[in-house]
Amino acid sequence: MPGLSSSRLKSMDFYRKIPRDLTEASLSGAGLSIVAALAMVFLFGMELSNYLAVNTSTSVIVDNSSDGEFLRIEFNISFPALSCEFAAVDVSDVLGTNRLNITKTVRKFSIDHDLRPTGAEFHSGSTMHLIKHDEYVGEHEGESSVTLNARNFDVFSKQFPILVVNFYAPWCYWSNRLVSGSLIALIFNRYDPETDGRIILAKVDCTEEGELCRRDEHGHHEHESYYGDRDTDTLVQTMETLVAPIPALHHKLDNSTQSIKRPAPSTGGCRVEGYVRVKKVPGNLIISARSGSHSFDTSLMNMSHVVSHLSFGLKFAPKALVDAKRLMPYIGRSHDRLNGRAFVNQRDVGANVTIEHYLQVVKTEVVSRRGSRDHTIIEEYEYTAHSSLAESVDIPVAKFHFELSPMQVLITELPKSFSHFITNVCAIIGGIFTVAGILDSLLHNTIRLVKKVELGKNF
């Protein structure tokens, strides 16, 4: 039975062997075998590369975001000519949302005109509360205050330890309300410049002494800016506090008088950074100058800025971006399109120049189908940007108008079956082997036929 079983099994052999003595090797067959082997290796490598490569499909669908109704905007923008004291971040949209002077998620840092930091984080402090003023009586303002100009400013600053200067403009309502006649009278009676010599009130018209005002603004004189209430009682109390440590000079009003040295305030520009949350509807992110107690000459304002960073959506981990780039190499090129770009007003357009950016935002989602279910690798918001400078009838601002597309781009990874890979490999090997066998047979029979003809044999 064992012998019978073995015979039956042998009869089922599909690959019957021919004794080696009955086979014949040839140079043509050897060459064809080498070519066939190289073809097998080459096609196997191509198939393996195709199997390991990632195939994706791209489609456009209605945005079905899972990140809610709000969108995060992160920014880091430097304004060389906007003081942090006045820089304000506002958000508005077409639904009527209007949030002014956002501070909770926004930080401001003083910088110079070359964008270099000049100090620690700027805190608004008491400048944001409603400042008190006396009733304005303009005709008394100049009766006892000294008018300073570029020629006598240094003389008075050396003669008096305390020099209180109102840098004003005739058109500015708030600077004209700063010093009332009653304040001047009180200070003059208590600290007569002729007999006491410790303090004097003065004023500078910045429309006539523009260079002097700019020189003082940029710290050429050691001074301290005042941000408190502006009613007479508060101003008198502040001046008395400054005068108290200084003994009366009794007519010593010469150049040998020592003035009190106080640190100059941080001036120049401002770097505004942080984030805001906005609704997913068309809206605006606006950075402008705002103050409840100052007026601005809009013709002199310059809202030039450098965008260090501006992006939409949550930050994604570097590893997630690497995984996404494995699927789509160009992913991540447009989520920060404005980064590193400078927008400078060269004043060629004119006064009251607003710098506006129009941003069209589209969500891109990358989904992988590896494993038992789909999972999102990355969700990012990419945008295109168009910028322009235009004259405005209002105060100049830097405006970022954003509009979100109701559609999103869905990129899906299409994994390949391992069984499909094995099937293709077998087809390559079997196909090449079969074709090579056919070619070898044709070549061998052709050579034999040629030899017979040469020998003159008829068959």
Side-chain angles (χ1 to χ4, degrees), residues 338-391:
L338 289 180
N339 287 15
R341 295 183 60 184
F343 301 90
V344 180
N345 174 17
Q346 303 290 357
R347 300 196 178 275
D348 297 333
V349 180
N352 293 30
V353 175
T354 285
I355 303 177
E356 185 168 359
H357 310 276
Y358 184 77
L359 313 176
Q360 292 180 301
V361 187
V362 179
K363 180 182 178 183
T364 300
E365 183 176 0
V366 181
V367 176
S368 174
R369 287 186 174 175
R370 293 190 176 187
S372 58
R373 61 177 184 176
D374 297 353
H375 65 279
T376 299
I377 296 179
I378 192 173
E379 290 181 339
E380 71 157 0
Y381 288 85
E382 298 187 304
Y383 62 88
T384 59
H386 304 277
S387 306
S388 65
L389 281 70
E391 292 187 59

Side-chain angles (χ1 to χ4, degrees), residues 135-145 176-177 179-182 184 203:
E135 291 297 327
Y136 170 53
V137 185
E139 63 269 16
H140 297 299
E141 194 279 327
E143 288 183 355
S144 298
S145 59
N176 283 289
R177 287 188 64 179
V179 181
S180 65
S182 58
I184 296 173
K203 62 180 180 178

Side-chain angles (χ1 to χ4, degrees), residues 100-238:
L100 302 178
N101 197 21
I102 300 172
T103 58
K104 186 175 181 180
T105 58
V106 176
R107 304 172 68 191
K108 295 184 285 187
F109 298 87
S110 296
I111 59 175
D112 61 18
H113 295 288
D114 295 321
L115 308 184
R116 292 188 297 262
T118 58
E121 180 179 356
F122 178 88
H123 296 281
S124 299
S126 61
T127 63
M128 298 308 295
H129 78 282
L130 187 59
I131 295 178
K132 295 189 294 183
H133 294 81
D134 285 329
E135 291 297 327
Y136 170 53
V137 185
E139 63 269 16
H140 297 299
E141 194 279 327
E143 288 183 355
S144 298
S145 59
V146 178
T147 300
L148 300 182
N149 52 44
R151 295 183 299 276
N152 63 5
F153 189 93
D154 290 335
V155 175
F156 278 89
S157 65
K158 293 177 180 178
Q159 286 182 346
F160 292 89
I162 305 296
L163 179 62
V164 180
V165 183
N166 177 21
F167 293 92
Y168 76 99
W171 50 262
C172 180
Y173 173 75
W174 298 105
S175 62
N176 283 289
R177 287 188 64 179
L178 177 61
V179 181
S180 65
S182 58
L183 171 65
I184 296 173
L186 279 172
I187 296 300
F188 183 82
N189 292 332
R190 295 185 187 184
Y191 308 101
D192 189 340
E194 297 295 331
T195 59
D196 186 272
R198 288 180 288 178
I199 186 172
I200 190 170
L201 303 184
K203 62 180 180 178
V204 175
D205 185 349
C206 289
T207 61
E208 295 183 358
E209 300 291 336
E211 184 62 31
L212 175 60
C213 294
R214 284 190 293 270
R215 185 177 65 175
D216 182 75
E217 175 189 355
H218 295 122
H220 291 270
H221 294 103
E222 295 191 12
H223 66 283
E224 181 175 344
S225 298
Y226 178 73
Y227 299 109
D229 290 328
R230 300 180 180 185
D231 59 294
T232 298
D233 293 338
T234 302
L235 289 171
V236 169
Q237 182 180 358
T238 301

Side-chain angles (χ1 to χ4, degrees), residues 10-41:
K10 287 182 179 180
S11 65
M12 299 175 61
D13 185 6
F14 293 160
Y15 307 101
R16 295 174 181 264
K17 309 300 184 296
I18 300 175
R20 188 176 183 84
D21 293 340
L22 301 179
T23 61
E24 179 184 1
S26 65
L27 289 176
S28 60
L32 196 58
S33 297
I34 294 174
V35 172
L38 293 176
M40 289 181 187
V41 172

